Amino acid sequence: MRRPVPVPANAPAGRAALVTAAHDAIARGSKSFATASMLFDAETRERAWLLYAWCRACDDIIDGQEMGGVRVAVTDPLARIERVRALTEQALAGQPTGVPAFDALGVVAAETRLPHRLPRDLIAGFAMDAEDWRPRSEDDLLTYCYHVAGVVGVMMAIVMGVDPADDAVLDRACDLGLAFQLANIARDLSEDDAVGRCYLPVEWLVEIDVPPGQALHPLYRERLGMLGRRLAQRAGAYEQSARYGTPALSFRSAWAVLAAAGIYGDIAREVARRGAHAWDRRVIVSRQAKLGWIAKAAWQAAWRRGLWNGGGSRAGLWTRPR
């Protein structure tokens, strides 16, 4: 485990105040993440809050929303991206921005030696959405998933104490982010379609003879069920791969990761189980099921070196850009 790097003398306003603001942001913006973060040790938990606050602020600025609430139609998405990019670069340079969530990124980046390319990669993902980007191939889909979620997994691993140069472990962390995003895409096909978005690769739609923009039409629902299962299968492969990174983590960090993997994995598994009916009503994971995974993950974390030591092959899985 690396020794923490002291916060630079020119760091923005007091760390304690930034942690408090970040905790407030996560409590309002994601009750699930707030609960999961309690599994971390105190230092990791605070850093996770700081990173989350920046991610949440970027998303809100770009989408014209507050704490993930109802989106407001924006007429200047690219200008918003540039504002986020400028504030982020200022924070990474150790300069106060006047925006607590961005100052929070500056603190956590300094404390963990977070490579600056990682926040930039996430902003590139926001830009893809702002430009109404669509995937043509599965590789395109996974590239998008990296930029909006896989890179967050990488940053979270570094927050948990993984060396930024440990590519093997960070690949597993990225895999968990990919699994989460694939599960989200599978669950949200109907909601995305309602706002004119489709993250299904064009090649997949052509393969099952579904016309562009018609994936949710009742006529094609059985075929869409096949793609839902494909997304779930891909998510499951990356979820399983991610578990092989947990021996490198502390017990409490592994506990949080394994609980989150199980909970999000249940989303993908339920989409697959429902088939053509996966979008009749939103897939959710019950509170009881979440508590069950938290309990099961504690046992898994205790035995992680026996369960997932030895590296587990990543053959056939997509690998993040270096």
Side-chain angles (χ1 to χ4, degrees):
M1 186 79 66
R2 303 184 321 280
R3 296 179 63 85
V5 178
V7 179
N10 66 337
R15 185 184 191 281
L18 293 177
V19 168
T20 298
H23 179 240
D24 179 62
I26 194 172
R28 290 186 293 140
S30 177
K31 291 181 173 59
S32 293
F33 192 90
T35 299
S37 72
M38 299 309 293
L39 301 180
F40 292 128
D41 62 81
E43 180 179 82
T44 303
R45 181 166 58 246
E46 289 186 355
R47 288 174 175 171
W49 290 346
L50 292 169
L51 181 62
Y52 173 89
W54 171 74
C55 293
R56 176 79 274 159
C58 291
D59 203 23
D60 285 350
I61 290 171
I62 292 164
D63 287 341
Q65 61 188 1
E66 183 176 356
M67 293 298 160
V70 177
R71 295 186 179 187
V72 177
V74 297
T75 58
D76 56 346
L78 297 183
R80 289 168 180 264
I81 292 285
E82 287 308 312
R83 182 189 174 206
V84 163
R85 185 173 283 122
L87 287 169
T88 297
E89 292 299 330
Q90 193 173 337
L92 291 174
Q95 301 170 358
T97 67
V99 183
F102 286 86
D103 291 343
L105 173 67
V107 169
V108 76
E111 289 183 355
T112 64
R113 297 191 182 95
L114 186 76
H116 293 185
R117 71 177 184 278
L118 299 176
R120 291 166 184 158
D121 278 353
L122 182 60
I123 293 172
F126 289 128
M128 293 168 81
D129 272 332
E131 295 166 358
D132 197 27
W133 175 91
R134 308 291 174 97
R136 179 162 189 82
S137 64
E138 184 171 332
D139 187 76
D140 289 343
L141 170 63
L142 291 167
T143 298
Y144 170 77
C145 289
Y146 164 73
H147 279 288
V148 299
V151 70
V152 177
V154 174
M155 290 191 286
M156 278 297 300
I158 292 170
V159 162
M160 293 177 207
V162 175
D163 191 311
D166 192 340
D167 283 333
V169 175
L170 296 182
D171 283 345
R172 303 294 182 165
C174 179
D175 287 344
L176 188 60
L178 297 179
F180 286 0
Q181 188 62 25
L182 289 166
N184 280 339
I185 289 171
R187 178 194 60 194
D188 296 341
L189 285 177
S190 180
E191 295 173 24
D192 289 335
D193 182 74
V195 295
R197 288 202 171 277
C198 181
Y199 296 105
L200 294 171
V202 172
E203 291 177 359
W204 286 12
L205 295 172
V206 170
E207 177 187 327
I208 61 171
D209 198 22
V210 172
Q214 297 296 310
L216 269 294
H217 192 286
L219 180 63
Y220 304 113
R221 189 56 69 93
E222 289 294 333
R223 301 180 201 180
L224 188 63
M226 293 169 52
L227 297 188
R229 284 189 289 270
R230 183 180 296 182
L231 286 167
Q233 184 272 329
R234 301 292 194 272
Y238 287 101
E239 176 194 344
Q240 182 59 19
S241 174
R243 295 174 186 275
Y244 283 91
T246 58
L249 305 178
S250 70
F251 168 77
R252 294 192 65 169
S253 290
W255 184 13
V257 165
L258 290 165
I263 291 166
Y264 263 85
D266 275 357
I267 292 173
R269 285 183 281 274
E270 180 63 10
V271 169
R273 188 192 69 79
R274 291 187 188 181
H277 299 286
W279 306 281
D280 293 351
R281 65 185 189 284
R282 184 176 175 82
V283 171
I284 63 170
V285 180
S286 70
R287 175 177 172 79
Q288 182 178 4
K290 289 177 181 177
L291 291 174
W293 270 112
I294 289 172
K296 182 176 181 179
W299 177 87
Q300 291 178 332
W303 293 96
R304 64 196 183 280
R305 292 185 176 88
L307 291 168
W308 297 297
N309 214 8
S313 175
R314 292 191 70 258
L317 297 182
W318 185 88
T319 300
R320 67 192 172 94
R322 293 287 190 261

